[in-house]
Amino acid sequence: MKNFRNYTLIALTAISLAACSSDDDGDTPEIINEEEVITTLNLTLQSGAETIVLTSQDLDGDGPNAPTITVSGNLDISTVYNGTVEFLNETESPAEDITEEVEEEADEHQVFYTPSAGVDAAIAYGNFDSDNNPLGTVVTLTTGATAGTGTLTVTLRHEPTKPNDGTLSDAGGETDIQVTFPVTVE
Amino acid sequence: MKFYLWLSIALLSITATAQECTYTLSGYIIDLHDNEVLEEATIIIVGSERSVTTDAQGKYVITNLCEDQYTLQVSHPACETQLVKVTVSGNTTRTINMEHHLESLGDVEIVAHAHKSKSRTATESVVDHNLLENNSAASLGDALKNLSGVTSLNTGNSVVKPVIQGLHSSRVVLITEGTRLQDQEWGVEHAPNIDVNAAGEVTVIKGAAGLQYGGDAIGGTIIIEPEQVPVKDTLFGRTIITGATNGRGGSITTSLIKSYNNGWYGGLNGTLKRFGDFEAPDYVLSNTALYERDLSVRIGVNKYRYGVEASYSIFDKESGILRSSHVGNAADLSVAINSQEPFVVEPFTYDINAPKQEVQHQIAKLKSFYRFDNFGKLSAQVDYQRNNRLEFDIRRDSDDLRPSIDLQLETIGGKIDFDYTADNTITAKVGISGRYQDHFPDPVTGVRRLIPDYQGYDFGIYALGSKVFGKWTIEAGARYDYNRINAEKFYITSLWEAREYDVNFAQFEVEEFENQIFVRPEFEYHNFSATAGASYEVNDATTVSLNYALASRSPNVSELFSDGLHQSAARLELGDLSFNQEVANKISLNFTRSTDTWSFTIAPFANFIEDFILIEPTGVQQTLRGSFPVWEYRQTQARLLGFDIDNNVQVTDRFEFSNQFSLVKGKDVTFDRALINVPSASTRNTVTYTIPSVNNLKLSLESNYVFRQNEFPDTNFDVFLPETNTTELVDISTPPDAYHLLNFRSSIDFAINDKSNLNVGLMVNNLFDTSYREYLNRQRYFADDLGRNVLLQIKINY
């Protein structure tokens, strides 16, 4: 019976609201800048004085323009690189740093680095979540002694299974970002 | 008054004696409320000893009358006796309406089964009360699926959209108690917001013949009517409790109606449904729980001459969307399709988490009628609807509990109809309707609007009629609709330019912000629709009818304006501003043969649709999140051919066999290939064994075989998988295999006392726990459909 009274109240409210709806006054609707969008991924690999930056930028977000991918240089063989990854939403100004959000919710995220055949490189995680599972916004990339050309894919997964065996298929979850960079080791 | 009548008759009959008396007065006696003919009604000419009785068709003939005014005393066992004045000049035809109340006094069920045809020549089918009650815990879409030619488009198992002869969404018009349901029906994952328990009867018109309801029902019209209220002092109701093993939940629904002799009545209907995660044969379908609460109330007065009713209903449903169907990009989709099991299988729970939908639909209505003696009935109605739709996606920030989609659709509508009832051989109806609609997507979501702000204006006018000529019935109608839409929308500038809208629709541009452009598109459509049909009664058992319907439908807002990522579907959806309306020409034939032991209907149809709007995958688009399949709306010439068969054989008193078969073939004539998402052929065979002596024990076994859809367009695409460094085919086209389900149903009646009875039913759906996937279920890529479900149902009528 209590429900009935509630519903009656809702009914009366609905009817009275019908007469004075607030949203059909002809004003311009509020613009929405997509908050879930990540437009830019920067992977910075540093070894001594040498810095290589891999960037993917897609300023129209989910619009029809494809991301622009740039790689500033080639990797050297048998070298250890300190890597950091940065995610930005540049549809807003100033740009929103999504990396902070990822790091705050470390237990719900993981960045995966997948070198293709031809790229002799190993990745070690440099930061971890509160359960000591890898997060991956900070990594160490070590190239082997073999030169070659291929790709390096960076994937940010949301709500992956943690812990996992380090492969995307074992981790599950959803892909928030996935960029495949052309990479040469020489 | 009565005295004056008697007096004048007496005087008139004296003067009449001198005249030549060779004229005939004839006509039909029909019931006011459902147009049923009344057999064995007695007509006495007041002031004389003469009386006649109506025949099986309700017809009466009185011969040897003079040119004069007579008073007839008309009586029928089920009606109140009334006096009617008739002027005879030459041979005169006069149809008499009677108030047919008393028949409904004895048994409420008789009222529930009364059915008035919505069209004389179109193919229509009815879902009766029993079937609705059996589906009390399910949805309207599930109940309708029992009709031949009606299938469903599902998003999981609780979001069920009806598909009529291959067509759905905006092409199917839903009328609930005379109001056109405005519930954002454009989306595939938007199920009708209707409580199946509030319906007394549901009629499905296959095709656009129901012109009084709208001219854009290219697929068909679903008409939902509440239980009729008898005019007498009574209080009755029913309660249905259903418990189900699959989903480990159930539903309870109660209705109560109080009515009085003076015509006043009030009714109340409430439903509560609660289910946890449903289960496929091999695993839990995580996050598919459901919680629904519905209430409807009505109060009114129903007099012979006039009636008024006010009603209000609220439908409130929260349903989880299969967790595993939420994928990140095309690579994830490819992996999901290739994997046999869903990614996320968690222990059973009643919790509903994102992704989920919360929908609330309210209808408030005032309707009335006034009857003009020997002329017709004027009805008028105003209604207000508010539809609130929240869709929750999984957000990157899990503390962010805002919905991703928050839409509010408000509609105010009104209509006036006039029904001509003076002649029993003619039905004629004219009407006008108007509607104002306001759509408001709340920006609080922080997600770009999938459907923009808009205001819609609609105006319609129609006339239709039918006439009986002996064994022939001819029907015709026409309707004009004006639709206007004023939208306000932000496009991503790159998209606006890529689609050349900056050239073709520059007049809509208002202002440019960083990477978005604000536009005010305005569109206007003039739609014409018409219907013509003929039916011929070959003999008492056999009727053949042919119907032609022309229907036009304006493109809906999602077809025009969609321009972005549909997160929950992991696809980019693109509408097109340059669409014009769809025009359908449908021809349907209906052959019915019905004897005491065998009834058979075959209904073939051909539907030719010009500028048919469909959405299908057209390629892949790269974004930072990876690649996404792009689904684009486009217009094409479509052709749908098919037939439905219904066959029912009463083998013995106890043993009944029924069979249904439906086939639709859809073709994209422009591309010379199959249409996407056309339902597969299916057949349903049921054997029922009834033992009336054992408390009306009824046992039935139903076999439902759904063929594989072999005709589909190949819209597969390739995607790069970094993991394996390979390019993989994403097979989103190939339909799943055929499947066969067995369902068992039994029921038994018990009398509680002379007024109340109890019916207990036991049902088992998917008896053998078969694993299957259905082509028209959007979640077929991710998980199997429902496994075995045992339901126990208790119905109490009081």
Side-chain angles (χ1 to χ4, degrees), chain A residues 114-160:
Chain A
T114 320
S116 72
V119 176
D120 184 9
I123 280 96
Y125 281 96
N127 59 355
F128 299 83
D129 65 21
S130 53
D131 299 322
N132 219 24
N133 290 316
L135 170 61
T137 52
V138 176
V139 288
T140 310
L141 185 146
T142 311
T143 51
T146 322
T149 302
T151 59
L152 174 67
T153 301
V154 182
T155 310
L156 172 64
R157 277 281 169 91
H158 183 213
E159 294 190 359

Side-chain angles (χ1 to χ4, degrees), chain B residues 50-94:
Chain B
R50 294 183 59 190
S51 79
V52 293
T53 310
T54 53
D55 64 13
Q57 276 74 47
K59 189 171 183 176
Y60 71 91
V61 181
I62 311 170
T63 51
N64 298 331
L65 292 175
C66 315
E67 191 158 313
D68 203 344
Q69 194 176 49
Y70 292 91
T71 296
L72 309 178
Q73 180 188 317
V74 189
S75 57
H76 185 266
C79 303
E80 281 175 48
T81 301
Q82 57 167 310
L83 292 175
V84 181
K85 261 200 289 185
V86 184
T87 306
V88 174
S89 58
N91 289 333
T92 305
T93 315
R94 172 67 186 269

Side-chain angles (χ1 to χ4, degrees), chain B residues 154-173:
Chain B
N154 288 34
T155 303
N157 47 283
S158 60
V159 179
V160 187
K161 269 181 98 75
V163 180
I164 303 176
Q165 292 181 334
L167 299 171
H168 56 84
S169 301
S170 288
R171 297 182 188 96
V172 172
V173 170

Side-chain angles (χ1 to χ4, degrees), chain B residues 96-116:
Chain B
I96 298 163
N97 292 304
M98 289 204 82
E99 182 105 74
H100 190 203
H101 283 152
L102 300 170
E103 191 183 87
S104 52
L105 277 174
D107 194 342
V108 174
E109 276 179 60
I110 291 171
V111 180
H113 294 158
H115 171 68
K116 182 180 168 185

